[in-house]
């Protein structure tokens, strides 16, 4: 199935253009309860205190439509108290 023709040194490079990524569809999210709002504030404080490099990652994921913002971020380990 290989092409038996020899390659030419002066041939132009053929590259297919990458298709443009579709813009993420904004969907209507349910309102936050007071408990959920408090959990999100605590999560943001913990992430900023213990792993500030994740803030940019979370913003990028949200911009790509992969998460619904901070409401999608959860901390599952016992290290969930911010530094004082």
């Amino acid at each position: 199935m290989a092409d038996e023709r020899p390659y030419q040194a002066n041939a132009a490079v053929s590259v297919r253009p990458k298709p443009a990524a579709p813009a993420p569809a904004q969907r209507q999210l349910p309102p936050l309860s007071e408990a959920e709002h408090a959990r999100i504030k605590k999560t943001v404080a913990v992430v900023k205190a213990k792993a500030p490099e994740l803030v940019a990652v979370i913003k990028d994921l949200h911009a790509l439509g992969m998460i619904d913002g901070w409401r999608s971020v959860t901390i599952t380990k016992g290290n969930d108290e911010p530094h004082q």
Side-chain angles (χ1 to χ4, degrees):
M1 297 184 103
D3 191 2
E4 287 93 22
R5 293 179 289 168
Y7 292 103
Q8 296 179 1
N10 60 352
V13 178
S14 174
V15 179
R16 292 185 183 176
K18 294 182 180 179
Q26 295 293 330
R27 59 187 175 125
Q28 196 67 12
L29 298 173
L32 293 173
S33 67
E34 285 296 319
E36 185 72 7
H37 187 67
R39 183 197 64 81
I40 291 170
K41 286 180 73 170
K42 182 179 175 185
T43 300
V44 172
V46 170
V47 169
K48 285 183 177 179
K50 297 203 175 214
E53 65 276 5
L54 289 180
V55 174
V57 173
I58 293 167
K59 286 182 180 181
D60 290 342
L61 290 174
H62 176 63
L64 291 171
M66 298 176 78
I67 63 172
D68 294 327
W70 285 100
R71 67 172 64 201
S72 298
V73 179
T74 57
I75 299 174
T76 57
K77 295 285 182 183
N79 242 354
D80 59 350
E81 292 298 323
H83 290 123
Q84 300 296 343

